[in-house]
C-alpha cells in the first residue's frame, strides 16, 4: 500500500476517533493518538521528499475511489504525489507533529484538550487533501476544509466573545475570496471541459490569446480565470484587501497560530498558484496582478508590524508580509524561489510563534511586550530559540558564504524580482527591500523588548514607570493590544509579583527541532530548490525558468548586498531605540503622531470595511427583519392567521349559545337555504 494513503488518512482517523471519543477516552489517550498519528505521517513524508531530492522518486497518482460522474463532469478521488506535493508534505506533517507535541505542555490546564487535538488533526488532514489534489474539486474540498478547521480552532475558546468574533471574521472574509476561487473553477471547467489539473495545465497554452464573456464584456480568457483563482489565494493567504482576518486569528491558542501561519491555511494560496503555474504563465496581466498584490502586502504588513505591542500580532503581520514575498516571487516567474521561501518560512515562523507561546506561558499569559523585559536569564532556552528564529527571518548571512534560512530564500526572491527585468519586478524589489528593513527592525524590537533591558514585570509601580520611560506616553494611550487573550485580564494584575519560568520539555523539544530548521534549512536545500540545475528536482511540477535563475545570479553586487545592509540598519535602529536610547520611540511618536496612529491602526482597513460593508449589511439586515420579517411575513403569515382565527372564533362563540332551539333554528335556516339553492338551480 502506498505510504501517501497513511500520510493523508491517519490524521483523519485520529481526528474522528479523538473527537468522538473525547472525554470518554481521556486526555492522555486522545493526545497520544493524534500526536502519534502525526509523527507517523511525518516519518513517512520525509523519505518521499528525500526520494525526489535524490532523483530516485517519480511522480505518480494513487486512486482512492470513483467520486463524481455527472454528464461531462467526471473525476475521481485520487492523491497526486510529485515534487511540489513532497515539499508540502514535509512542511505540513513536520510542523503539525511538533505543534501537537508542543500542545501537550501549552494546553495542559485546558479542560477541553481532546476537542483541541481532534481539531488540530482535522486541520492537518484538510491541508493534506488540498496539496495532494489531482483535480480542482478535490483541491476545493481541502480548501474549504482548512477554512472550517480554522473557524473551529480560532474560536476554540468559545466562551470569549472576542474569539467568536474573530472566528466569524475569518470565516466571512474567506468566503469572499472563496467566491472568486469557485468562479475560477467554474470558468476553468467551462473553458477546458475538465477539472483534472494535469489535463488543464497541458491544454492551458492553447488557450492563450482567446477571449471569454464575463460581466457583460469580453476579456482575455486566461487572465479572467487566473485572477479569479488568485482572489481565492488572496483570502486564504491574507493578501492586501482580504488580509483583515489574519491578525484577529491570534484569538485562538498559540499552537493554532503556529499551525495556521507556518504550515497550513495561509500557505494554501501560494501552493495553488505554483501548482497552476502553467496557467498563470499564459497571462502576463494576471502575473502582474499577483506581483503587485504580493509586493503591496509585503510592504503594508511590515509597516504595521513595527508598531504593534502584542507579541503574537507582531509575528502575525510578519507572516502576512512574508507571504507577500512568496507571491511576488511567483508573479515574476520564480515559482521555485516562492516554494523555497515557503519551505524555510515554515521552520522559522513556527519557531517564532511557539517561542512566543513559551514566553506567554512563562509570563502567566501576558502578551503585551511592554510588560516583559530581561527575560533572557529567566527563560534562556526560549531566548536562544527565538534568537535563532529572528536571525532566520531577518536573513542574517553573508553573500557567498553562510547564512540562516531566510538569508537564502528571501534574498533569492529579491534577486529574482530585480533580475526579471519587469517594471513590476522592480517595484516588488524595492518594496521587498523596504519591507526587509522593517522586518529586521520589528523582529529585533521584539527580541529587545522581551529579553533585554530592565524587567517590567516585577511590580505595578516599576511597570508603569518602565513603560512610560522606555516606550513613550503612547503606551498608555493605546492600551493593551489584546488584554491577555490567552486567559489573563490586565497585564499588571497577571504579572505583578509573578516570577517567569521556563516551559516544560514537551514545549522546548519542538523549539529545538525547529531552531535546527531555522539555522540549516536554507544552507542544506538551496541548491536543490533554486540553482540552475534545480529543474531536475522540480520535474515539471511547477514552471521553472533556467533563464530567470541565471539572471538572479548575474544581478549587480549591490543587489546581493542590499538585503544584508538593510538588515543591519534595522538591527542597529532597534538596538538604539530600545536599548541605547529608550526615550527615542516616544520622541518619534510625538514628532510623527499622525503617521504612527495611521500605521498603528493598520491603515484603518477595519474601520473602512466596517463603514463600507459591515454597517450597511447590518442596516439591510435590520430592514429585512423589521419590515420584511415582522412587518410582512409575521403580520400576514402566522400573526395574520392567528388574528383571523381569533376573530372567527369570537363570532363562532356567539353562535354557540348552548340552547337546543338555537341550534334547531340554524339547522332549519341551513336546510331552507340548501333547498332554495337546489330549486333555483
Amino acid at each position: 500500500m502506498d505510504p501517501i494513503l497513511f500520510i493523508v488518512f491517519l490524521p483523519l482517523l485520529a481526528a474522528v476517533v479523538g473527537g468522538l471519543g473525547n472525554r470518554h477516552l481521556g486526555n492522555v489517550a486522545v493526545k497520544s493518538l493524534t500526536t502519534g498519528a502525526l509523527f507517523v505521517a511525518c516519518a513517512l513524508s520525509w523519505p518521499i521528499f528525500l526520494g525526489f531530492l535524490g532523483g530516485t522518486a517519480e511522480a505518480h497518482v494513487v486512486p482512492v475511489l470513483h467520486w463524481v460522474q455527472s454528464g461531462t463532469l467526471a473525476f475521481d478521488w485520487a492523491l497526486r504525489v510529485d515534487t511540489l506535493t513532497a515539499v508540502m508534505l514535509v512542511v505540513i506533517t513536520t510542523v503539525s507533529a511538533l505543534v501537537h507535541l508542543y500542545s501537550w505542555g501549552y494546553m495542559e490546564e485546558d479542560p477541553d484538550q481532546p476537542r483541541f487535538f481532534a481539531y488540530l488533526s482535522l486541520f492537518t488532514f484538510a491541508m493534506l487533501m488540498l496539496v495532494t489534489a489531482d483535480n480542482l474539486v478535490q483541491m476545493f474540498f481541502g480548501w474549504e476544509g482548512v477554512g472550517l478547521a480554522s473557524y473551529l480552532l480560532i474560536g476554540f475558546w468559545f466562551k470569549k466573545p472576542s474569539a467568536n468574533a474573530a472566528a466569524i471574521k475569518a470565516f466571512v472574509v474567506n468566503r469572499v475570496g472563496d467566491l472568486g476561487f469557485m468562479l475560477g473553477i467554474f470558468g476553468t471547467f467551462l473553458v477546458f471541459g475538465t477539472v483534472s489539473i494535469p489535463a488543464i495545465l497541458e491544454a492551458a497554452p492553447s488557450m492563450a490569446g482567446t477571449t471569454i464573456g464575463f460581466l457583460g464584456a469580453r476579456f482575455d480568457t486566461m487572465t479572467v480565470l487566473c485572477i479569479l483563482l488568485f482572489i481565492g489565494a488572496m483570502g486564504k493567504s491574507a493578501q492586501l484587501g482580504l488580509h483583515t482576518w489574519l491578525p484577529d486569528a491570534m484569538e485562538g491558542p498559540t499552537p493554532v497560530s503556529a499551525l495556521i501561519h507556518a504550515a497550513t491555511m495561509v500557505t494554501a494560496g501560494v501552493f495553488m498558484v505554483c501548482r497552476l503555474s502553467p496557467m498563470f504563465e499564459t497571462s502576463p496581466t494576471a502575473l502582474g496582478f499577483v506581483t503587485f498584490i504580493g509586493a503591496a502586502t509585503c510592504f503594508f504588513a511590515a509597516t504595521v508590524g513595527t508598531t504593534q505591542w502584542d507579541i503574537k500580532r507582531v509575528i502575525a503581520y510578519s507572516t502576512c508580509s512574508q507571504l507577500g514575498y512568496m507571491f511576488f516571487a511567483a508573479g515574476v516567474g520564480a515559482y521555485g524561489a516562492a516554494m523555497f521561501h515557503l519551505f524555510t518560512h515554515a521552520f522559522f515562523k513556527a519557531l517564532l510563534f511557539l517561542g512566543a507561546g513559551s514566553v506567554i506561558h512563562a509570563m502567566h499569559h501576558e502578551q503585551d511586550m511592554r510588560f516583559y523585559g530581561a527575560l533572557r536569564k529567566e527563560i534562556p532556552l526560549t531566548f536562544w530559540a527565538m534568537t535563532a528564529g529572528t536571525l532566520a527571518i531577518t536573513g542574517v548571512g553573508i553573500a557567498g558564504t553562510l547564512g540562516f534560512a531566510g538569508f537564502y530564500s528571501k534574498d533569492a526572491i529579491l534577486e529574482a524580482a530585480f533580475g526579471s527585468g519587469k517594471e513590476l519586478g522592480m517595484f516588488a524589489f524595492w518594496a521587498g527591500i523596504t519591507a526587509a528593513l522593517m522586518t529586521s527592525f520589528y523582529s529585533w524590537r521584539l527580541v529587545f523588548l522581551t529579553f533585554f533591558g530592565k524587567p517590567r514585570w516585577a511590580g505595578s509601580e516599576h511597570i508603569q514607570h518602565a513603560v512610560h520611560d522606555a516606550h513613550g506616553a503612547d503606551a498608555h494611550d493605546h492600551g493593551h493590544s489584546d488584554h491577555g487573550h490567552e486567559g489573563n485580564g490586565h497585564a499588571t494584575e497577571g504579572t505583578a509579583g509573578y516570577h517567569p519560568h521556563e516551559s516544560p520539555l514537551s514545549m522546548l523539544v519542538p523549539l529545538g527541532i525547529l531552531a535546527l530548521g531555522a539555522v540549516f534549512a536554507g544552507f542544506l536545500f538551496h541548491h536543490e530548490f533554486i540553482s540552475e540545475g534545480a529543474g531536475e528536482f522540480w520535474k515539471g511540477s511547477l514552471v521553472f525558468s533556467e533563464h530567470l535563475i541565471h539572471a538572479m545570479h548575474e544581478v549587480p553586487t549591490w543587489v546581493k548586498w542590499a538585503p544584508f545592509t538593510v538588515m543591519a540598519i534595522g538591527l542597529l535602529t532597534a538596538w538604539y531605540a530600545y536599548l541605547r536610547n529608550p526615550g527615542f520611540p516616544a520622541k518619534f511618536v510625538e514628532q510623527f503622531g499622525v503617521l504612527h496612529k495611521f500605521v498603528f491602526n493598520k491603515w484603518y482597513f477595519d474601520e473602512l470595511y466596517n463603514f463600507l460593508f459591515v454597517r450597511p449589511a447590518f442596516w439591510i439586515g435590520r430592514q429585512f427583519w423589521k419590515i420584511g420579517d415582522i412587518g410582512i411575513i409575521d403580520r400576514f403569515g402566522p400573526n395574520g392567521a392567528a388574528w383571523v382565527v381569533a376573530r372567527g372564533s369570537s363570532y363562532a362563540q356567539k353562535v354557540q349559545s348552548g340552547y337546543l332551539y338555537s341550534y334547531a333554528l340554524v339547522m332549519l335556516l341551513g336546510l331552507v337555504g340548501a333547498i332554495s339553492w337546489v330549486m333555483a338551480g
Side-chain angles (χ1 to χ4, degrees):
M1 188 176 290
D2 197 292
I4 189 65
L5 294 170
F6 292 98
I7 294 171
V8 172
F9 291 108
L10 274 177
L12 174 63
L13 179 63
V16 171
V17 175
L20 295 179
N22 207 294
R23 297 179 185 177
H24 296 290
L25 292 177
N27 292 344
V28 175
V30 174
K31 291 192 293 186
S32 301
L33 174 66
T34 53
T35 306
L38 259 299
F39 271 96
V40 171
C42 178
L44 294 173
S45 297
W46 275 96
I48 295 175
F49 172 70
L50 295 175
F52 282 100
L53 203 65
T56 59
E58 293 294 332
H60 62 283
V61 176
V62 179
V64 177
L65 53 82
H66 294 295
W67 199 357
V68 170
Q69 175 70 57
S70 178
T72 59
L73 177 63
F75 52 88
D76 296 334
W77 188 353
L79 307 178
R80 169 164 291 277
V81 182
D82 56 16
T83 307
L84 189 59
T85 304
V87 172
M88 295 302 297
L89 288 179
V90 295
V91 167
I92 296 165
T93 57
T94 301
V95 174
S96 183
L98 294 174
V99 166
H100 275 73
L101 178 59
Y102 179 93
S103 299
W104 278 62
Y106 194 86
M107 301 295 290
E108 185 178 10
E109 298 178 1
D110 195 279
D112 226 355
Q113 294 176 57
R115 181 168 63 92
F116 178 76
F117 278 82
Y119 286 170
L120 286 183
S121 294
L122 178 65
F123 202 160
T124 307
F125 163 73
M127 190 65 189
L128 290 170
M129 281 297 302
L130 192 158
V131 301
T132 57
D134 191 46
N135 60 74
L136 292 177
V137 177
Q138 186 179 327
M139 182 181 285
F140 187 72
F141 174 82
W143 195 270
E144 293 303 301
V146 294
L148 168 65
S150 68
Y151 171 79
L152 296 173
L153 284 168
I154 294 169
F156 176 75
W157 286 318
F158 56 85
K159 293 183 179 180
K160 290 171 56 181
S162 57
N164 290 325
I168 293 171
K169 185 176 183 180
F171 201 78
V172 170
V173 173
N174 273 274
R175 296 291 70 72
V176 177
D178 291 352
L179 174 61
F181 192 51
M182 290 170 61
L183 292 175
I185 294 175
F186 297 157
T188 301
F189 176 70
L190 178 67
V191 170
F192 294 99
T194 181
V195 291
S196 169
I197 292 175
I200 292 168
L201 300 185
E202 183 180 356
S206 64
M207 296 305 299
T210 61
T211 61
I212 188 174
F214 183 66
L215 299 177
R218 303 292 297 183
F219 299 97
D220 180 78
T221 302
M222 298 309 296
T223 298
V224 171
L225 297 182
C226 290
I227 289 180
L228 286 173
L229 292 169
F230 179 66
I231 289 173
M234 289 174 62
K236 275 290 178 288
S237 297
Q239 294 301 283
L240 191 64
L242 296 177
H243 67 281
T244 54
W245 67 270
L246 192 62
D248 289 5
M250 299 304 97
E251 289 286 352
T254 298
V256 174
S257 304
L259 194 57
I260 290 178
H261 285 249
T264 54
M265 187 166 170
V266 297
T267 61
V270 179
F271 167 81
M272 184 269 288
V273 171
C274 291
R275 171 63 83 198
L276 303 181
S277 53
M279 285 184 67
F280 281 83
E281 284 294 304
T282 63
S283 174
T285 303
L287 286 177
F289 183 67
V290 173
T291 304
F292 176 79
I293 293 295
T297 304
C298 178
F299 175 82
F300 154 76
T303 63
V304 179
T306 61
T307 62
Q308 301 302 300
W309 293 112
D310 184 295
I311 188 171
K312 286 175 65 178
R313 284 182 180 265
V314 173
I315 305 173
Y317 278 105
S318 168
T319 297
C320 199
S321 182
Q322 298 302 310
L323 289 165
Y325 278 105
M326 300 175 206
F327 277 114
F328 79 67
V332 299
Y335 302 100
M339 287 304 301
F340 186 38
H341 196 50
L342 185 155
F343 180 79
T344 60
H345 176 263
F347 290 104
F348 59 71
K349 187 49 59 70
L351 174 60
L352 288 170
F353 263 116
L354 296 185
S358 184
V359 173
I360 294 168
H361 183 270
M363 294 301 294
H364 199 53
H365 304 297
E366 175 56 59
Q367 294 180 210
D368 195 320
M369 296 185 296
R370 291 169 292 186
F371 299 92
Y372 291 167
L375 289 177
R376 70 185 186 281
K377 296 179 181 179
E378 310 295 334
I379 46 174
L381 297 178
T382 299
F383 162 67
W384 286 112
M386 289 203 71
T387 300
T390 303
L391 291 167
I393 194 173
T394 56
V396 173
I398 300 176
T401 56
L402 294 174
F404 291 82
F407 166 74
Y408 291 95
S409 57
K410 186 160 67 175
D411 286 22
I413 289 175
L414 293 170
E415 291 168 10
F418 188 92
S420 67
K422 302 175 182 177
E423 290 186 11
L424 279 173
M426 291 302 298
F427 167 74
F429 170 78
W430 287 111
I433 283 292
T434 308
L437 171 64
M438 292 185 284
T439 299
S440 179
F441 172 77
Y442 66 65
S443 297
W444 290 112
R445 170 181 179 262
L446 183 152
V447 170
F448 295 148
L449 282 173
T450 303
F451 297 106
F452 291 86
K454 296 179 180 179
R456 298 181 294 278
W457 37 266
S460 57
E461 289 184 9
H462 182 56
I463 288 175
Q464 298 300 334
H465 176 72
V467 168
H468 187 276
D469 232 19
H471 314 302
D474 64 305
H476 297 293
D477 294 339
H478 298 305
H480 297 187
S481 300
D482 283 309
H483 299 282
H485 280 321
E486 300 279 346
N488 183 37
H490 195 281
T492 53
E493 296 170 4
T495 58
Y498 184 81
H499 194 77
H501 57 88
E502 190 62 274
S503 299
L505 200 61
S506 62
M507 295 172 64
L508 294 176
V509 169
L511 291 182
I513 297 173
L514 290 169
L516 292 175
V519 174
F520 296 112
F523 171 73
L524 292 176
F525 299 111
H526 75 279
H527 180 77
E528 284 72 16
F529 277 80
I530 54 174
S531 69
E532 292 191 33
E536 291 297 320
F537 168 66
W538 290 111
K539 294 183 177 180
S541 59
L542 50 71
V543 173
F544 187 81
S545 172
E546 295 280 356
H547 173 74
L548 182 58
I549 294 295
H550 180 72
M552 289 166 54
H553 295 162
E554 297 299 319
V555 296
T557 304
W558 70 266
V559 174
K560 293 181 179 291
W561 280 94
F564 178 85
T565 304
V566 296
M567 179 279 299
I569 294 172
L571 167 60
L572 292 174
T573 305
W575 170 81
Y576 178 79
Y578 293 97
L579 292 182
R580 182 71 177 85
N581 183 12
F584 177 77
K587 295 177 182 177
F588 180 88
V589 171
E590 185 178 353
Q591 186 74 22
F592 301 97
V594 175
L595 175 63
H596 178 270
K597 188 175 181 180
F598 175 75
V599 175
F600 181 84
N601 286 286
K602 302 158 287 188
W603 294 27
Y604 291 101
F605 268 100
D606 283 313
E607 289 78 3
L608 177 64
Y609 286 180
N610 185 61
F611 176 76
L612 292 178
F613 304 117
V614 177
R615 288 165 61 183
F618 274 103
W619 181 86
I620 293 172
R622 283 193 296 270
Q623 301 311 305
F624 276 113
W625 168 41
K626 293 183 177 180
I627 298 176
D629 190 15
I630 298 176
I632 298 176
I633 296 175
D634 285 351
R635 181 180 179 185
F636 296 104
N639 291 347
W643 179 84
V644 171
V645 171
R647 294 300 297 269
S649 63
S650 67
Y651 289 121
Q653 287 174 356
K654 297 178 181 178
V655 177
Q656 301 294 330
S657 64
Y659 295 108
L660 181 62
Y661 57 81
S662 297
Y663 298 144
L665 176 61
V666 172
M667 292 173 64
L668 180 61
L669 291 175
L671 180 62
V672 170
I675 294 173
S676 301
W677 180 77
V678 171
M679 294 180 65

